[in-house]
Amino acid sequence: MVTFRPVKKWVIPILAIMIGSYIGFSFLPSHQEFAYKQWVQQLNKNEQKSYHVKTNFLKDDSIAFESNGYWSSKHSKFRIETPVSNGSSFQFDVYLEESQFYIHTGNEWRKGQYPHRFIEELSPLDNPFQWCKEILRNADKITRIKQGEKETYTAFFHTFPEIELQGILLKKQKNSSLSISFQKGQIQSMVFKAAPIRPNEVPFLSIYPENMVYQIDFTLYNGKLPNLPKEASSSIPID
């Protein structure tokens, strides 16, 4: 799932976040500032609901990750599939609870506590709304297009102070964007396209993608979310 594991601190200093947020936000023209506020309001409203979600992640035009499942702010469940070298794929289930997560592969159950490297490598699927709001602070330009009952917001980026996508470190960008579409105020899709510049922290011999596309499709779900199976009670803790 992960391309490399750069040496980095678990938490970005609060001061750096505050400065980065202020600089990025203060340089937006007034009409873009208005679009930014509307966008965040839409995200805040939509993250209170539950969804059936499908995810597709491409690195250098090849599928690196796919998932199908359910997301809510308190409980999520995904079936994740990643390709392996022999042309087949590896599947496993992930359950995200409020204080810990569970991984099910075959007959084996594992569990871990937050924060954890596994969750960093799962991001932004664990909390797409929060991830979007965090990176929007670094937008260099924001557009809003309204066509009837459909609204599409797009943000463009030149650099990030430090974020991760599926465990891949992103800093300077050639041409990267985040687009989110809403229909009647209901979120439909999130598409993040990145053409990153290789950070200095990445070892010389490590593989680093030239382009990436990460997409989540949302369908409002009003049914009962999948419960954590009883078998999970025997989960083996992971560091």
Side-chain angles (χ1 to χ4, degrees):
M1 180 186 299
V2 62
T3 303
F4 67 92
R5 300 189 175 208
V7 177
K8 59 186 283 292
K9 295 183 179 179
W10 278 98
V11 180
I12 302 172
I14 295 177
L15 181 59
I17 295 176
M18 293 175 63
I19 293 174
S21 301
Y22 172 77
I23 292 175
F25 187 77
S26 64
F27 278 98
L28 287 177
S30 59
H31 67 283
Q32 295 188 53
E33 181 179 329
F34 179 70
Y36 167 84
K37 291 180 178 179
Q38 284 188 312
W39 194 349
V40 171
Q41 287 175 358
Q42 292 273 41
L43 291 171
N44 287 337
K45 180 177 67 174
N46 276 269
E47 72 178 338
Q48 305 303 318
K49 304 173 184 178
S50 300
Y51 301 93
H52 174 238
V53 294
K54 291 184 178 181
T55 306
N56 195 326
F57 179 40
L58 300 178
K59 288 192 300 184
D60 294 330
D61 303 318
S62 297
I63 295 176
F65 170 99
E66 291 180 301
S67 77
N68 194 333
Y70 301 89
W71 182 93
S72 75
S73 60
K74 295 184 178 180
H75 173 75
S76 302
K77 187 264 181 180
F78 310 108
R79 167 65 57 86
I80 294 175
E81 183 174 350
T82 60
V84 292
S85 58
N86 61 2
S88 61
S89 61
F90 174 67
Q91 293 184 348
F92 59 98
D93 293 332
V94 176
Y95 293 80
L96 304 181
E97 304 295 319
E98 290 190 76
S99 61
Q100 55 191 357
F101 63 92
Y102 296 82
I103 304 172
H104 180 219
T105 57
N107 295 320
E108 185 175 83
W109 283 89
R110 300 269 182 164
K111 66 179 179 180
Q113 301 286 333
Y114 306 120
H116 197 278
R117 181 64 196 175
F118 174 79
I119 299 301
E120 289 186 349
E121 295 176 5
L122 189 65
S123 178
L125 185 57
D126 63 313
N127 196 333
F129 296 94
Q130 184 61 34
W131 187 85
C132 289
K133 286 185 284 186
E134 288 177 357
I135 71 168
L136 280 178
R137 299 167 182 164
N138 304 292
D140 294 288
K141 179 182 178 182
I142 291 176
T143 64
R144 172 179 174 266
I145 298 175
K146 184 172 177 61
Q147 296 175 314
E149 296 177 331
K150 182 178 180 180
E151 283 183 301
T152 301
Y153 293 84
T154 303
F156 301 89
F157 307 92
H158 295 147
T159 187
F160 297 107
E162 184 172 329
I163 69 165
E164 286 193 6
L165 178 74
Q166 294 286 150
I168 299 171
L169 181 65
L170 302 177
K171 286 191 171 183
K172 294 182 179 180
Q173 306 293 301
K174 298 175 185 176
N175 182 24
S176 297
S177 65
L178 171 68
S179 293
I180 298 183
S181 296
F182 300 89
Q183 184 77 21
K184 295 182 179 180
Q186 176 64 51
I187 190 169
Q188 301 293 301
S189 65
M190 178 199 99
V191 182
F192 181 70
K193 298 180 179 180
I197 297 173
R198 185 187 186 96
N200 293 331
E201 293 90 332
V202 180
F204 177 74
L205 295 178
S206 295
I207 298 173
Y208 190 83
E210 294 183 2
N211 61 78
M212 298 180 288
V213 179
Y214 190 98
Q215 179 168 341
I216 303 178
D217 294 321
F218 298 82
T219 301
L220 187 64
Y221 184 73
N222 294 317
K224 184 179 179 181
L225 295 171
N227 290 323
L228 183 68
K230 294 181 180 180
E231 292 81 2
S233 61
S234 61
S235 296
I236 301 171
I238 56 176
D239 295 332

